[in-house]
């Protein structure tokens, strides 16, 4: 699944580590999600959406 | 890379279980000559290292359940699946070899060490497919 995580993170000038800390996950997780190697669970996707103040479908896009 | 709390607890438990395992092996080795008759006492002493092996498996299970990071948990579970596939495959294939040929017998004691080696193979598979080996 594609996502806009990297763009949203860059807009806020956050490193992967910053985002990982805010989401309480590892930096490896953020990197895997950003690069599309791993699709997060629905609860984590909601946490990401809440953090950016956006609906899930504006962050995660259908292939 | 810093360790998360689940990793720290896992390593602590593994150290305790490892010390217990080595102590149990030395105890059984010193009290029981090889090929001792199977009496209730000798069986109980010989099973002590086996209890420590259950301790290793318990520590690994606790680690999986305490790992809150879902991606890292996925990597660890994948490692365990690869290890299980390898251990079952090697043990079964060798068993078939033992039936049809005169290859030396593989003591079943080796199944768990083979599974542990399989975790390393699983980490390599993770590295190849996800670019991340895992965390333990």
């Amino acid at each position: 699944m594609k996502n806009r995580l990297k763009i949203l993170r860059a807009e806020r000038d956050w490193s992967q580590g910053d985002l990982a800390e805010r989401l309480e996950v590892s930096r490896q997780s953020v990197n895997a999600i950003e690069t599309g190697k791993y699709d997060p669970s629905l609860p984590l996707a909601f946490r990401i959406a809440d953090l950016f103040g956006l609906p899930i479908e504006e962050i995660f896009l259908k292939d | 890379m810093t360790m998360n709390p689940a990793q720290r607890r896992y390593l602590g438990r593994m150290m305790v279980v490892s010390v217990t395992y080595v102590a149990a092996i030395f105890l059984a080795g010193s009290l029981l000559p090889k090929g001792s008759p199977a009496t209730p006492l000798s069986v109980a002493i010989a099973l002590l290292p086996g209890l420590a092996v259950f301790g290793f498996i318990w520590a690994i299970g606790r680690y999986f359940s305490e790992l809150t990071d879902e991606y890292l948990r996925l990597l660890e579970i994948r490692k365990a699946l690869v290890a299980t596939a390898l251990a079952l495959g090697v043990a079964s294939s060798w068993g078939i070899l033992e039936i049809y040929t005169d290859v030396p017998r593989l003591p079943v004691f080796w199944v768990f060490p083979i599974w542990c080696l399989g975790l390393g193979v699983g980490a390599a598979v993770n590295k190849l497919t996800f670019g991340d080996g895992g965390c333990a």
Side-chain angles (χ1 to χ4, degrees):
Chain A
M1 193 184 290
K2 291 176 187 166
N3 66 75
R4 298 178 54 232
L5 214 53
K6 192 172 182 178
I7 298 163
L8 294 168
R9 181 170 62 75
E11 284 172 0
R12 287 154 183 81
D13 204 20
W14 291 346
S15 66
Q16 285 188 342
D18 294 333
L19 179 56
E21 201 174 314
R22 284 173 167 85
L23 292 170
E24 296 179 341
V25 299
S26 64
R27 194 201 55 77
Q28 287 165 279
S29 298
V30 169
N31 184 57
I33 295 167
E34 268 190 16
T35 52
K37 284 185 290 186
Y38 175 69
D39 292 331
S41 67
L42 205 48
L44 179 53
F46 271 113
R47 266 160 53 206
I48 293 168
D50 286 346
L51 182 66
F52 288 112
L54 293 168
I56 286 179
E57 60 270 27
E58 285 189 28
I59 301 173
F60 296 96
L61 317 164
K62 280 189 221 169
D63 284 327
Chain B
M1 187 171 61
T2 55
M3 282 195 289
N4 61 50
Q7 284 172 284
R8 277 197 296 274
R9 284 193 292 272
Y10 168 73
L11 288 179
R13 286 172 186 145
M14 286 305 249
M15 273 192 276
V16 170
V17 176
S18 298
V19 169
T20 309
Y21 178 73
V22 171
I25 287 282
F26 272 106
L27 183 74
S30 61
L31 293 179
L32 300 174
K34 203 170 179 184
S36 293
T39 64
L41 181 64
S42 67
V43 168
I45 293 170
L47 281 178
L48 289 176
L51 288 177
V53 171
F54 272 108
F56 285 124
I57 296 166
W58 168 79
I60 293 166
R62 290 289 298 167
Y63 176 55
F64 289 164
S65 62
E66 290 177 358
L67 202 49
T68 54
D69 188 306
E70 62 184 48
Y71 173 66
L72 295 182
R73 192 168 56 230
L74 169 80
L75 294 180
E76 294 305 311
I77 297 290
R78 280 169 54 97
K79 279 163 61 176
L81 286 173
V82 170
T84 303
L86 192 78
L88 289 176
V90 168
S92 299
S93 303
W94 196 264
I96 292 166
L97 274 177
E98 286 179 14
I99 291 170
Y100 294 112
T101 71
D102 62 354
V103 293
R105 286 184 67 81
L106 176 71
V108 285
F109 160 81
W110 284 105
V111 171
F112 185 64
I114 292 169
W115 187 84
C116 292
L117 285 174
L119 291 177
V121 177
V125 171
N126 278 343
K127 190 80 183 166
L128 284 171
T129 54
F130 276 84
D132 271 322
C135 54

